[in-house]
Amino acid sequence: MSDIIENTYKLLDALDNSDLIKNLTNAKKKLEQNPQIISLIKEYRKETNSNKLISIKKILHKNEDYRKYIESYNELSLLVLRINKQYQKYTNTAEHNCH
């Protein structure tokens, strides 16, 4: 069991030092310093009109930092999903069978 824990920490360290996390972090920092993008994101969160939502998304996706952030975020989410699926197999909790 200690091997599993040790290797999990190695995985976390490798993830912390990965290009994926560096790209995600750098893009986020740049976005946080861009008041126009922040304003658009806030507007998007409040908007209910689907045409306006699409319009805002198109504007956001023209920004390279936003695209990099979304791509990195999605890649990280998929990685976490794969890890969670594997964990569910090991623990037999995919169908909430753990009692």
Side-chain angles (χ1 to χ4, degrees):
M1 184 64 118
S2 64
D3 287 345
I4 294 171
I5 294 170
E6 182 180 333
N7 286 326
T8 300
Y9 283 120
K10 287 179 183 178
L11 171 64
L12 292 172
D13 288 341
L15 189 58
D16 282 341
N17 296 317
S18 70
D19 287 340
L20 172 62
I21 297 300
K22 289 175 187 173
N23 291 340
L24 182 70
T25 304
N26 289 336
K28 182 180 179 184
K29 286 178 184 176
K30 289 180 181 179
L31 290 173
E32 290 173 335
Q33 296 172 358
N34 187 330
Q36 292 172 322
I37 295 296
I38 296 298
S39 175
L40 282 170
I41 291 170
K42 287 178 181 178
E43 183 180 345
Y44 182 85
R45 289 179 180 163
K46 293 178 185 176
E47 189 58 57
T48 57
N49 180 306
S50 58
N51 290 330
K52 183 69 174 165
L53 288 169
I54 291 169
S55 174
I56 294 169
K57 268 294 198 198
K58 286 181 180 180
I59 295 168
L60 286 170
H61 278 278
K62 288 180 183 178
N63 181 285
E64 185 177 343
D65 293 321
Y66 183 82
R67 281 194 319 272
K68 284 182 183 179
Y69 176 81
I70 293 299
E71 289 170 7
S72 298
Y73 180 86
N74 288 341
E75 188 176 341
L76 180 60
S77 294
L78 288 173
L79 180 61
V80 170
L81 180 66
R82 286 181 59 206
I83 291 168
N84 284 339
K85 290 270 186 198
Q86 201 64 35
Y87 174 75
Q88 289 172 348
K89 286 181 189 177
Y90 296 147
T91 60
N92 195 27
T93 57
E95 298 293 326
H96 305 290
N97 293 330
C98 185
H99 296 289

